[in-house]
Amino acid sequence: MSDVESHDDCPDEGGAGNVDKARRRLLVGSTAVVGGIGVAGAAVPFIASWNPSARARALGAPIEVDISKLKPGEMLGPIPAWRGRPVFVVRRTAETVERLVSEDADLADPDSKNAEMQPVYAKNAWRSRRPEIGVYLGLCTHLGCSPKFRGEEGTFFCVCHGSIFDLAGRVFKNKPAPDNLPVPPYRFETDNLIVIGEDEETA
């Protein structure tokens, strides 16, 4: 009798105890998988909402530049980059603005006739939205070197082959560079915050 009782008290290896454990494991595993799929399904549209539109991706993601500390006669530093290219942001003095309007005899394209080099709103003597603030891609149109800012002379000077640009990015005559510095699309978010790579047409 005692042998029978002791046999009955011992759980069978293939009995109900192991079946219950296996079921628990299956339920826990299934719940984890279903939960993971649900989280992933919810995350995909959420993360996708962070991505820029196809039009914005084609232009390159815009960047924001704070010019609140930029003083007249200075160029913003460190130099920001948009689409892997340096962007020159300058705050011109009142004297420089006046000079840009009156002194153009030595410039190759003072009226910015090459429409591909700037948006419509930058087709003026200072080639910018505001006379005192200039925004230009900092790559010489000759061979792509980056000109040096010479604020005291009021120019950008390309040390590679000697091209000179005024502070509106207009190239001087008889220099290797064939065109003025390009003006990227941009807009003012506030008086001191510029969004480069986006304007009213590309937003």
Side-chain angles (χ1 to χ4, degrees):
M1 185 71 173
S2 61
D3 290 343
V4 173
E5 287 176 358
S6 65
H7 178 74
D8 288 342
D9 290 340
C10 293
D12 183 40
E13 286 185 8
N18 284 345
V19 171
D20 287 344
K21 286 181 182 176
R23 284 182 180 163
R24 273 197 300 273
R25 287 192 196 107
L26 179 63
L27 285 172
V28 169
S30 300
T31 303
V33 169
V34 171
I37 292 172
V39 169
V44 167
F46 178 66
I47 292 171
S49 69
W50 296 347
N51 295 330
S53 66
R55 193 172 190 182
R57 284 197 301 272
L59 278 173
I63 61 169
E64 292 183 349
V65 175
D66 183 357
I67 60 169
S68 58
K69 296 180 180 177
L70 188 61
K71 296 177 181 177
E74 292 182 346
M75 184 171 82
L76 188 66
I79 297 171
W82 175 65
R83 297 179 71 180
R85 295 179 288 179
V87 179
F88 293 167
V89 181
V90 295
R91 185 182 292 272
R92 295 178 281 244
T93 63
E95 293 78 10
T96 298
V97 171
E98 193 174 314
R99 191 164 62 245
L100 293 177
V101 175
S102 60
E103 297 179 7
D104 60 12
D106 295 327
L107 302 173
D109 183 14
D111 300 320
S112 305
K113 291 180 181 177
N114 186 347
E116 295 180 1
M117 303 312 289
Q118 65 278 314
V120 174
Y121 49 80
K123 194 177 184 303
N124 47 50
W126 44 87
R127 299 182 71 233
S128 59
R129 287 184 177 276
R130 286 166 38 184
E132 74 280 14
I133 302 294
V135 180
Y136 311 100
L137 294 182
L139 294 175
C140 179
T141 54
H142 179 221
L143 292 177
C145 300
S146 188
K148 303 298 180 189
F149 174 65
R150 291 187 169 176
E152 67 285 352
E153 298 176 12
T155 63
F156 300 109
F157 176 70
C158 184
V159 298
C160 294
H161 300 96
S163 293
I164 302 173
F165 305 84
D166 70 2
L167 290 190
R170 299 178 297 183
V171 67
F172 280 73
K173 290 178 180 176
N174 304 315
K175 300 298 177 184
D179 288 301
N180 297 336
L181 295 179
V183 177
Y186 73 95
R187 62 184 175 83
F188 282 90
E189 183 75 13
T190 66
D191 283 347
N192 289 313
L193 188 65
I194 303 175
V195 178
I196 298 170
E198 180 181 281
D199 55 20
E200 289 78 4
E201 295 180 0
T202 58

